[in-house]
Amino acid sequence: MQTPFYLIDRSKLARNMAIMDELRHASGAKTLLALKCFATWPVFDQMRQHMDGTTSSSLYELRLGAEKFGKETHAYSVAWADHEIAEAVTYADKIIFNSISQLDRFDNQSASIARGLRLNPRFSTSGFDLADPARPFSRLGEWDAGKIETVIDRISGFMIHYNCENADFDLFDRQLTRIEDEFGPLLKRLKWVSLGGGIHFTGDGYPVDRLAARLKTFSDRFGVQVYLEPGEAAITGAASLEVTVLDVLNNGKDLAVVDSSVEAHMLDLLIYRISGRIETDGPHQWQICGKSCLAGDVFGEFGFAEPLKVGDRLSIADAAGYTMVKKNWFNGVKMPSIAIRELDGSITLSREFGYADFVGNLG
Ligand SMILES: Cc1ncc(COP(=O)(O)O)c(C=O)c1O
Ligand SMILES: NCCCCNCC[C@H](N)C(=O)O
């Protein structure tokens, strides 16, 4: 198959989905796929057997979730526009407003379905200011319990997203206790609470049993259905970006240019200033570079068993979360195809992109 392509591996996805089931069954919590992280719908047939539905950040994600995943569909947006709300309500089982003012504005249009409000507990586990929902002056949710009390009879749930790649169960436990202590009287008046995403429960060694027990205690204490909104936890480790070396040179370091681009195909690495990951080891240190004209278009430096040469195939790990949803046409670099490694090992080409897609994207 012609590189570049994203390769989603169903057996790796199955590993995460098995943990998803373990957590759901032991805790009673429902899990909704966060489409902002991963929305590659050709593998939804597999995911829908192990998750309860989807949650969204926009009208289009909401519609995609309703049409391609089905089951329970949560509609969240930082701000709904007037022209979106009537359509949004037709797809959603629950609509979650980011602010009291949006709840007020769309009070009539949303009265036919369950409504929730985003609560901002004013702390998070994010190590990145950019991704910290509790950053100073954050617009993400309401935090004043007195104000929320005045609208509590119009909502049946809260969405509280405050974790980010949190692999530390004890930290999760402590922060949930803070939420219970600070917002307990409000929580008692609700039917459901979504604790958002960002809990790294499919990571190696994560104590899934303790998380399940903690969620169950929370659910029992407040009489609420708990939801989680995993993005990363659902798909971590399940996809790679397959590329080919196009050129090699040495400008003080050994450099290999591949037929892909960080800026265009793994943008999150640049945004968060982190290195990509290649499962390789060896004495030959090479910098793997993208083919766009951006000077810093670099996937990272890795050790290889042999010096690289033109035509070598490389596999860049963790290409599912916040990666495929962010691919773009920067420099007109050919957009990676989407391929799926089936459970029997065969590979299905799901989608190829060409010049027509590039042109169509711009006018
Ligand atoms: C409201 C909400 N829910 C869920 C998620 C998914 O988080 P993660 O992919 O870290 O699990 C996010 C991330 O942006 C979010 O903002
Ligand atoms: N891997 C580098 C950090 C990525 C942070 N992801 C942020 C998305 C997240 N769900 C959020 O914005 O809360």
Side-chain angles (χ1 to χ4, degrees), residues 96-321:
I96 296 143
F97 292 104
N98 185 65
S99 68
I100 291 174
S101 104
Q102 283 250 308
L103 173 65
D104 285 342
R105 183 171 189 83
F106 300 118
D107 196 21
N108 289 337
Q109 290 104 311
S110 61
S112 58
I113 60 170
R115 296 183 292 200
L117 186 65
R118 181 167 183 167
L119 171 71
N120 187 330
R122 302 179 86 187
F123 52 80
S124 87
T125 66
S126 180
F128 298 95
D129 177 58
L130 182 64
D132 180 1
R135 78 210 295 266
F137 314 110
S138 172
R139 71 195 181 297
L140 301 175
E142 298 278 359
W143 51 265
D144 183 329
K147 270 170 69 183
I148 296 171
E149 161 97 51
T150 65
V151 299
I152 199 82
D153 292 333
R154 280 194 275 148
I155 60 172
S156 54
F158 279 158
M159 186 273 276
I160 321 171
H161 172 71
Y162 61 105
N163 286 281
C164 182
E165 298 185 344
N166 182 8
D168 179 346
F169 170 75
D170 293 314
L171 174 60
F172 172 80
D173 181 22
R174 283 196 303 278
Q175 291 199 331
L176 190 57
T177 300
R178 270 181 79 176
I179 289 174
E180 291 174 320
D181 292 346
E182 290 174 31
F183 299 100
L186 292 174
L187 294 170
K188 285 207 166 106
R189 296 174 66 180
L190 300 173
K191 293 196 171 103
W192 54 273
V193 173
S194 171
L195 295 172
I199 309 168
H200 200 47
F201 61 85
T202 53
D204 286 339
Y206 192 92
V208 178
D209 52 342
R210 292 179 70 199
L211 175 64
R214 184 66 180 88
L215 295 177
K216 191 157 182 354
T217 305
F218 177 84
S219 165
D220 292 345
R221 179 169 173 202
F222 297 101
V224 291
Q225 171 64 54
V226 170
Y227 290 87
L228 297 180
E229 303 178 0
E232 288 281 9
I235 47 68
T236 289
S240 57
L241 175 61
E242 302 295 314
V243 302
T244 300
V245 176
L246 298 180
D247 195 14
V248 292
L249 60 160
N250 185 302
N251 280 343
K253 273 185 180 176
D254 283 324
L255 311 175
V257 180
V258 300
D259 56 357
S260 177
S261 155
V262 187
E263 171 92 359
H265 307 156
M266 289 194 94
L267 183 59
D268 235 31
L269 296 180
L270 279 189
I271 293 177
Y272 289 99
R273 306 257 169 217
I274 48 180
S275 170
R277 200 163 62 76
I278 297 182
E279 283 168 16
T280 170
D281 204 9
H284 301 279
Q285 201 66 19
W286 283 72
Q287 186 174 91
I288 306 303
C289 312
K291 65 174 279 177
S292 85
C293 62
L294 181 73
D297 194 342
V298 172
F299 286 94
E301 290 188 23
F302 311 93
F304 295 90
E306 301 290 338
L308 293 180
K309 55 186 187 317
V310 171
D312 281 351
R313 265 280 296 277
L314 301 177
S315 181
I316 301 166
D318 286 331

